[in-house]
Structures are given as structure tokens and as C-alpha cells.
Amino acid sequence: MTDENATLTVEFCGEHHELASEDTLTFGRRGDIVVDDNPYLHRVVGRFVHRQGVWWLQNQGTRITVELRDLRSATRLSISPGQQVALVSPAFSVHFGAGPTTYELIGSRVASGVDETVESMDAVGTVTIDFGVVPLSSEQHLLLVALCEMRLIDSDSMPTNQSLASRLGWTITKYNRKLDHLCAKLTREGVRGLRGGPDGVATDRRQALIDHALSVALVTPGDLGMLARQAS
């Protein structure tokens, strides 16, 4: 069941957040909800986001597993790093630990004008999917293939931006513009490490982009032929 007007309420230690479908909410050491200054805690552990008429809980950490519990049944789901799950229960809690400390968020989902007798998490939302898997234009796909080429042929070398632009037959201005747009697109979907700027260098941004593209199969070895066709 989907509802574009569904609202979500999340509470942590007396702090309440009510989200409309166009909102997102992160939580962690430096999230929208500042959980704790615990050094074992990720800067961002997870994110609530509304997509295609459904609220999702995304695990944006790298080591911490998040547990989603249905407060109306005994159902529990473990969400591994880099995965997400649909929030189908009207009332739920979110649990995670960092070092010796565990944390809990309480949430409720309210549909607008829709009967709330939805299925439990036993039946719906038990399959997690990768986030950051987005549709790509032909040039965005080609750019990713060029970036990932050396990793796909088992090399850790990182080509310069100028060499990549030449490999694609683009000007450096076009290359930089396409790279900026692709990073912004994936950042909006929750992929971290692509902003660059004062918190990171260009090589770090490209490395994060390569790591993400390969981890969710936005680029595969079968795509390398695109570069040969581009050069011909």
C-alpha cells in the first residue's frame, strides 16, 4: 500500500520530528538527530526517506547493523550497512549499538485518508535493496565506466581528470560538469563522500564514486566495451 501524503513521526529522548513525504531525516553522531557524541558511533547511522509512496529506513553506516522492530508484533528485521527496508508498520522502533552503548528511536507512520490496516512486517518489507542505484544517462554511465576502468582490470591506479577527459573525448570543462552533476545526483539519494570541498579532496570524491558504483553494480566488467566503442 502506498500513500504520497503519508507522514512519519520519529522520537528520540523526548525530541519529536514530524516528516512530510518530501522530507528526509538522518540520525547519528552528526545527523539531523544528534544521537550522542560517542566516538564509536557513525556520523550518520541511518536515514528516513520517502520514495514512490513508501517510507524507507536506510542504514548509511559501514559497520553498525540497525534493527527495526514492529511494535504491534514480535517481528524484527536486521538492516545491514548499505541496505534499506520499507516501513510498513504503523508503529515501530529502531535499535542500534556503538561500543558499549545501545540506542532506540520510536516511530509511527500515518497515512492520509487511507485505512491503516496494513500488512505486518512479516509479509511486507522484509527484502532489503541497495540505495544509490539510480537511472543513468548514457554519458553518466560512460563517465562511470571510465572512472572504474582500472579497478575493473585489477589495478588500483587513479587516472587524472585530464586523462579521463581525453579518454572520453571530452573537454575538461565538460568532464568536470558531468562529474559534478553525477555526484550531486547520487548524494541526493544518500550516497556519502561525494561532496568534495573543504571536507575532502577530489581524489577522495572520485574514489568514493568508484567504490559505490562497483558495490551496487552500476558498472560491471561487461561495460568496458563502451570505452572501445567511444574511441572508434
Side-chain angles (χ1 to χ4, degrees):
M1 180 181 298
T2 63
D3 183 7
E4 292 295 341
N5 297 314
T7 60
L8 188 74
T9 299
V10 179
E11 184 268 332
F12 176 72
C13 293
E15 178 184 342
H16 291 263
H17 298 262
E18 184 169 317
L19 310 178
S21 58
E22 65 271 17
D23 298 325
T24 64
L25 182 73
T26 61
F27 55 92
R29 186 160 48 91
R30 294 291 184 271
D32 299 321
I33 296 178
V34 179
V35 174
D36 196 357
D37 61 0
N38 181 347
Y40 297 103
L41 192 65
H42 294 316
R43 292 172 64 88
V44 176
V45 174
R47 181 174 78 144
F48 297 97
V49 63
H50 194 265
R51 292 284 187 274
Q52 298 177 331
V54 178
W55 282 102
W56 299 86
L57 171 59
Q58 299 174 338
N59 184 340
Q60 297 197 312
T62 57
R63 298 182 305 277
I64 295 174
T65 296
V66 175
E67 184 177 77
L68 178 66
R69 300 180 185 177
D70 184 348
L71 295 182
R72 297 189 177 185
S73 73
T75 303
R76 299 184 179 189
L77 297 175
S78 291
I79 310 170
S80 300
Q83 302 289 306
Q84 65 181 0
V85 69
L87 298 172
V88 299
S89 174
F92 60 88
S93 59
V94 177
H95 300 256
F96 53 94
T101 309
T102 58
Y103 305 94
E104 179 186 53
L105 284 71
I106 302 296
S108 59
R109 183 184 59 80
V110 179
S112 174
V114 178
D115 182 4
E116 271 298 317
T117 56
V118 299
E119 301 91 337
S120 75
M121 289 195 301
D122 289 312
V124 179
T126 57
V127 178
T128 55
I129 61 174
D130 293 313
F131 68 86
V133 179
V134 297
L136 301 172
S137 70
S138 59
E139 287 192 332
Q140 287 173 338
H141 192 188
L142 187 63
L143 172 57
L144 272 182
V145 175
L147 279 165
C148 296
E149 181 182 18
M150 299 309 294
R151 283 277 293 275
L152 288 170
I153 61 176
D154 199 26
S155 170
D156 290 328
S157 63
M158 173 70 72
T160 65
N161 284 336
Q162 184 62 63
S163 65
L164 285 167
S166 298
R167 181 89 167 92
L168 295 167
W170 296 351
T171 65
I172 190 64
T173 300
K174 177 178 179 177
Y175 168 87
N176 286 328
R177 185 175 68 251
K178 293 291 183 181
L179 180 61
D180 287 342
H181 288 172
L182 180 56
C183 287
K185 182 176 188 175
L186 288 167
T187 296
R188 287 193 297 271
E189 292 300 316
V191 180
R192 296 177 298 149
L194 304 182
R195 293 185 181 276
D199 296 328
V201 297
T203 301
D204 294 334
R205 180 174 74 157
R206 287 185 294 150
Q207 190 63 60
L209 183 57
I210 292 168
D211 290 344
H212 175 74
L214 294 177
S215 69
V216 300
L218 285 175
V219 173
T220 67
D223 294 325
L224 289 174
M226 295 174 63
L227 295 172
R229 291 192 293 273
Q230 175 72 10
S232 61

